[in-house]
Amino acid sequence: MQTKPSARREWVKRRSALFRAALAPAPRLTVSEWADRYRHLSREASAEPGRWSTARAPYQRGILDAFSDPLIEKVVVMSSAQVGKTEIVNNVVGYFIDKDPAPILVLQPTQQMGEAWSKDRLAPMLRDTPRLRGKVKDPRARDSGNTLLHKALALDTPLPTPEGWTTVGEVRVGDTLFDERGQPCRVTDLTPVYLGRRCYRVRFSDGEEIVADAGHLWAVERWVVKKRPKPHQAIVRELLTTADMVGRVRSGKRFRFAVPTTEPLKLADARLPVPPYALGVWLGDGYSHRAAVVMEPADATEVLGHLRAEGLDATIRPVAGRGIVEILLEPLTRNTRRGADGRMIAAEDGVRGALRSMDLVSRAGSGRSKKVIPPAYLRASEGQRWDLLQGLMDAGGSVTPQGWCRFVTVLPALADGVCELLSSLGIKWSRTDTPAGGIVLGFQSPSQPVFRLARKRERQRIPTTNATRRRIVAIEPERSVPVRCITVDSPEHLFLAGRRMVPTHNSFPGGHITISGANSAASLASRPIRVVLCDEVDRYPASAGTEGDPVALATKRTATFWNRKIGEFSTPTVKNFSRIEQSYEQSDRRRYHVPCPHCEHMQVLEWHNLKWENGDPETASYMCEACGVLIEEQHKGRMLAEGVWVAENPGHRTAGFHLNSLYSPWARWSELVREFLEAKGNPERLKVFVNTVLGQTWEEEGERVNAESLSGRREKYRAVVPDGVGLLVAAVDVQGDRLEVKVKGYGAGEESWVIHHEQLWGDPGRDEVWQMLENVRTRAWE
């Protein structure tokens, strides 16, 4: 029987083991291991839906794992059809989204094919692979375009920065924005500007409006009723696209979705000319032309104590006959000094001098106020901004009977500054313009008092949860505008957008995926991409517009990444014109060797070793190149499982893989023979067979010219112009820096001879070049 101490030790031992296991770092997975562990095949995209298994086509393991090999920079796959090439691309995309987030570019031959791949392949994978859900938004059937490219905002959307403001159109990689906790975050990537996207105007309960495309992501909260353990309301947090919420904004009389407010912006203390509380008091109810504030006597004494605590030598002076007092922010003797002519002039030091240096003091009697909140105060530290707000509210604020805080002014510029100040402190506010020209700002502070005056602070009420979130009240279709997406490095992948600093989501954590067409030069513009996957490269146009080879353009975008990965996939086409063949020849050229089940000889499966009898495809079997024994197709599974990739050019940083359909577990040898017999004798069908079954380039038949025979037909002229020439013709090609002249001689029977070729260098706009041409034209020929 086990004693209590030993049982205790056993329990501690088990708990310690579990604790160590929980803290142990996750093992680094290769792409094939990730796919075997997490990948799910979708019903509409695969004939074999369910969990992925690399063992189904073992040759895929080497291709997949090359993308997670740090010594491999480029992977080239020249293959036939029916070997799972598309699923290899999908697995690589899923791996980098989940395990190694990075900017990804998937390049298809055309933009339309890119959209088809996004909808038919990528979207089902994101939906049915739990590991990928929420990292790239799962698209809804009623918005099939959600996965295309990025989740974007209009270019004129304001974005707060530590220095002030920028916009979605102006922001650059490396710039600093803020996340939902108010912490600075860095822009890690930007998409190109997209046109023609379906856009909506999202309206919030506090008056904010943001224009976003249909696929833009929003981190929202939704109220639901739960029945257990007893009926109650609960908040569910979701990641939804704009299109997900269209038509679902209301649930009865209530608005369904809400976005939480930001926490106060976290910034360092700033060196400010006037203490923030003092500036707030002056802005709230001070004279626009001097450093003094009008106030009730009871409040003035308390405010005076706060000003003196900030180091100001402030004093109180009664205003005769009015029952109010003035708080002088500095002694009168500091406001003036005697000039050289003996007259008193304004001093430039002290509070008044500081206000003047910030261009806040207006000329006495002008009737115009320059009161605004200087930018330095709006991006000061959190504590300094609270001091500023408390000064504003002590002097110019009030509290309603319901406990709401209000600030009233007739100065639009000051109102705008207060609005920005409230937003930077995570306070939701509303703005009302009165018929008399006043501006009323109403708000509730969810975190701390906005007053220092005791009588006002006591009336301020603790707000409800509505003060910490803004509801989405409408999502309306908007005309399409230019949009782009931003990626930031914040932990929750959120950044603040709009004048009221609304938290909004970027693309998948740490990266994004761009799906483009090789025929679109604009989508291949220079911007950093770490993972480039070029699918069906032999179907790409020779040039993306006028920009040049699309593969070269896409590859150039990886130049700044030391850990770049480039993939080229394609079925080959015509010999000497095939991109994938050229890339494969420049790689380590791997072939998949499988063992003979009879003699264990390792060999590459070649078409010429496939045999059949009397034109009957059903008799197809493979002849071992070593022992000559026929191998039945039933052995193919074991052969594939024991196969290995062998490189002809080992040590190269480009891994090249060649496969034909003889290896495919989805293509029976008898079916391939039948396809060959049907194509035999028809050059066009045979070309398709060679490309899509054998994975080889097609060489066009035709007459060939023997180089030695052509060289032997050369002849020497005894003179410049040989016998038989009856006419000399000069052809001139005008270039920007020269004239190209060729003189040919023509004789009987249309026989011709090249007589002379010359380059006349110079500017064709000058007479000297044309004079040289005239000398050629009038020359005597021997």
Side-chain angles (χ1 to χ4, degrees):
M1 182 176 178
Q2 195 175 43
T3 63
K4 287 186 178 181
S6 62
R8 172 75 177 175
R9 284 195 297 271
E10 185 65 27
W11 180 85
V12 171
K13 183 177 179 180
R14 288 199 306 269
R15 296 286 292 183
S16 299
L18 290 173
F19 185 70
R20 287 194 299 271
L23 292 181
R28 181 172 179 82
L29 301 178
T30 65
V31 179
S32 65
E33 290 170 340
W34 177 89
D36 286 333
R37 183 175 297 188
Y38 301 119
R39 176 75 198 284
H40 286 255
L41 296 170
S42 305
R43 186 172 300 278
E44 66 266 42
S46 174
E48 300 177 354
R51 292 291 298 270
W52 167 272
S53 174
T54 308
R56 184 74 171 93
Y59 52 78
Q60 294 180 340
R61 190 178 309 279
I63 302 174
L64 291 169
D65 291 350
F67 282 94
S68 49
D69 186 342
L71 300 179
I72 297 298
E73 182 176 288
K74 184 177 181 180
V75 179
V76 176
V77 180
M78 183 172 75
S79 72
S80 64
Q82 295 183 300
V83 295
K85 174 170 56 63
T86 300
E87 291 304 335
I88 292 173
V89 175
N90 294 347
N91 283 331
V92 173
V93 170
Y95 172 83
F96 279 102
I97 290 175
D98 181 33
K99 300 301 293 183
D100 191 9
I104 302 172
L105 170 65
V106 177
L107 195 61
Q108 296 288 342
T110 66
Q111 197 74 13
Q112 291 72 24
M113 293 179 68
E115 294 177 4
W117 179 82
S118 174
K119 296 176 184 177
D120 302 338
R121 298 286 188 168
L122 179 61
M125 178 178 72
L126 299 176
R127 182 196 65 212
D128 296 332
T129 301
R131 189 75 177 186
L132 302 179
R133 290 176 193 160
K135 296 188 175 182
V136 179
K137 182 68 183 81
D138 181 9
R140 308 292 173 170
R142 57 197 181 97
D143 182 33
S144 58
N146 275 354
T147 61
L148 296 181
L149 304 174
H150 291 274
K151 323 303 181 183
L153 294 174
L155 297 187
D156 60 355
T157 305
L159 304 174
T161 73
E163 294 76 32
W165 292 89
T166 185
T167 65
V168 170
E170 296 170 344
V171 72
R172 295 292 179 265
V173 172
D175 288 354
T176 301
L177 304 179
F178 293 99
D179 65 14
E180 83 289 354
R181 297 170 298 120
Q183 295 288 353
C185 60
R186 191 173 60 88
V187 177
T188 58
D189 197 54
L190 298 166
T191 69
V193 174
Y194 296 117
L195 305 176
R197 304 293 290 274
R198 185 145 46 98
C199 295
Y200 294 89
R201 184 175 294 275
V202 182
R203 302 182 187 274
F204 295 88
S205 56
D206 60 355
E208 181 64 274
E209 298 180 2
I210 294 178
V211 175
D213 76 347
H216 186 71
L217 294 172
W218 301 91
V220 300
E221 296 179 346
R222 181 166 59 91
W223 280 259
V224 297
V225 176
K226 294 191 174 182
K227 297 181 179 180
R228 295 181 180 180
K230 60 180 180 180
H232 68 287
Q233 281 197 342
I235 296 177
V236 176
R237 292 173 174 82
E238 296 179 308
L239 194 61
L240 301 177
T241 66
T242 310
D244 287 338
M245 298 183 287
V246 172
R248 302 173 58 213
V249 171
R250 285 183 176 272
S251 176
K253 295 183 178 180
R254 299 191 62 182
F255 296 109
R256 180 179 274 118
F257 306 109
V259 176
T261 57
T262 179
E263 295 181 25
L265 304 186
K266 307 301 189 296
L267 293 162
D269 280 343
R271 296 185 63 182
L272 303 173
V274 177
Y277 180 80
L279 179 66
V281 169
W282 181 80
L283 290 172
D285 204 10
Y287 292 100
S288 61
H289 60 282
R290 59 190 179 94
V293 181
V294 178
M295 194 166 287
E296 295 289 337
D299 293 340
T301 302
E302 188 176 348
V303 170
L304 181 66
H306 297 309
L307 292 172
R308 287 182 171 175
E310 288 195 335
L312 293 183
D313 188 12
T315 57
I316 294 179
R317 183 177 68 175
V319 178
R322 296 180 57 184
I324 57 176
V325 298
E326 291 180 345
I327 300 179
L328 306 179
L329 300 182
E330 58 188 353
L332 285 175
T333 55
R334 295 189 61 185
N335 288 331
T336 59
R337 64 181 177 84
R338 191 173 299 279
D341 57 358
R343 292 185 300 176
M344 301 301 294
I345 59 175
E348 296 300 327
D349 59 348
V351 176
R352 188 172 187 274
L355 295 176
R356 185 180 295 276
S357 69
M358 294 185 286
D359 197 29
L360 300 180
V361 177
S362 58
R363 186 165 52 88
S366 66
R368 293 185 178 182
S369 176
K370 294 184 176 182
K371 285 186 178 181
V372 296
I373 300 180
Y377 286 79
L378 293 172
R379 291 298 183 268
S381 68
E382 180 182 350
Q384 290 173 319
R385 282 179 281 122
W386 276 114
D387 291 344
L388 175 63
L389 179 61
Q390 289 170 344
L392 282 160
M393 296 302 292
D394 279 356
S398 61
V399 188
T400 68
Q402 294 77 27
W404 276 72
C405 306
R406 296 201 314 171
F407 182 83
V408 182
T409 182
V410 295
L411 305 175
L414 179 58
D416 292 342
V418 176
C419 292
E420 184 175 343
L421 176 65
L422 294 171
S423 296
S424 75
L425 291 170
I427 298 175
K428 187 179 75 171
W429 49 269
S430 63
R431 175 170 174 162
T432 304
D433 295 338
T434 67
I439 302 171
V440 180
L441 304 178
F443 60 92
Q444 289 179 297
S445 174
S447 57
Q448 68 181 66
V450 298
F451 302 98
R452 289 187 183 178
L453 279 175
R455 68 175 183 86
K456 293 183 178 181
R457 187 174 64 247
E458 291 170 357
R459 296 175 58 191
Q460 181 182 340
R461 296 289 182 263
I462 298 175
T464 63
T465 56
N466 285 332
T468 61
R469 52 180 59 89
R470 50 175 63 83
R471 293 182 182 270
I472 296 176
V473 298
I475 301 178
E476 303 165 349
E478 181 80 2
R479 66 180 181 84
S480 183
V481 297
V483 294
R484 80 188 313 187
C485 180
I486 298 171
T487 301
V488 297
D489 60 1
S490 65
E492 298 299 323
H493 326 301
L494 297 170
F495 63 94
L496 303 184
R499 288 292 173 183
R500 300 174 194 242
M501 305 185 188
V502 181
T504 183
H505 207 278
N506 67 357
S507 50
F508 68 79
H512 62 75
I513 179 168
T514 298
I515 306 161
S516 184
N519 59 341
S520 173
S523 64
L524 299 177
S526 177
R527 44 188 299 274
I529 294 289
R530 183 159 78 86
V531 180
V532 172
L533 303 175
C534 303
D535 197 13
E536 293 298 345
V537 296
D538 271 19
R539 300 174 67 180
Y540 289 5
S543 177
T546 60
E547 301 297 323
D549 180 54
V551 176
L553 290 173
T555 302
K556 191 175 294 185
R557 295 166 65 174
T558 66
T560 58
F561 291 95
W562 65 270
N563 56 346
R564 68 184 70 88
K565 293 293 180 183
I566 302 164
E568 291 185 24
F569 306 81
S570 190
T571 300
T573 51
V574 180
K575 190 173 182 62
N576 298 327
F577 293 93
S578 170
R579 277 193 179 94
I580 198 68
E581 181 187 44
Q582 295 173 14
S583 295
Y584 177 76
E585 291 299 326
Q586 296 169 5
S587 70
D588 61 6
R589 298 192 300 276
R590 305 185 190 188
R591 305 290 298 275
Y592 199 65
H593 290 63
V594 295
C596 170
H598 305 292
C599 69
E600 301 298 327
H601 173 70
M602 302 296 290
Q603 59 196 299
V604 175
L605 297 183
E606 303 279 7
W607 179 256
H608 62 265
N609 286 327
L610 192 65
K611 307 298 180 181
W612 60 94
E613 299 177 1
N614 301 323
D616 183 5
E618 296 300 324
T619 63
S621 55
Y622 193 84
M623 185 181 70
C624 173
E625 65 181 16
C627 66
V629 176
L630 293 179
I631 303 170
E632 300 297 328
E633 189 164 11
Q634 63 184 3
H635 298 291
K636 184 163 67 171
R638 176 203 158 189
M639 295 166 67
L640 294 178
E642 297 178 2
V644 293
W645 286 101
V646 179
E648 298 177 7
N649 181 26
H652 204 286
R653 288 205 69 180
T654 297
F657 301 86
H658 181 262
L659 277 171
N660 60 52
S661 293
L662 293 175
Y663 293 95
S664 174
W666 303 284
R668 297 178 62 242
W669 288 341
S670 59
E671 294 173 352
L672 301 180
V673 172
R674 183 175 291 106
E675 188 174 344
F676 169 73
L677 294 176
E678 293 174 353
K680 192 176 181 180
N682 185 325
E684 290 302 317
R685 295 185 64 178
L686 192 59
K687 176 181 178 181
V688 173
F689 177 85
V690 170
N691 292 159
T692 63
V693 175
L694 304 186
Q696 297 174 355
T697 55
W698 172 262
E699 188 170 4
E700 298 287 354
E701 294 183 357
E703 294 185 4
R704 297 186 179 183
V705 179
N706 185 281
E708 295 181 359
S709 174
L710 182 63
S711 177
R713 298 179 63 182
R714 293 178 298 171
E715 61 178 294
K716 293 183 179 181
Y717 307 159
R718 294 184 177 180
V720 177
V721 180
D723 292 338
V725 174
L727 176 68
L728 291 179
V729 176
V732 184
D733 182 19
V734 180
Q735 297 292 332
D737 56 354
R738 68 191 186 280
L739 302 180
E740 295 268 355
V741 185
K742 178 178 285 189
V743 180
K744 294 188 69 175
Y746 291 89
E750 299 185 358
E751 186 176 4
S752 65
W753 296 260
V754 175
I755 306 300
H756 179 72
H757 180 267
E758 186 176 358
Q759 294 174 323
L760 306 177
W761 293 95
D763 183 1
R766 301 179 66 87
D767 293 339
E768 293 86 345
V769 181
W770 295 98
Q771 183 59 49
M772 289 189 286
L773 177 63
E774 182 64 13
N775 294 337
V776 174
R777 189 186 72 82
T778 58
R779 181 185 305 174
W781 304 88
E782 180 185 355

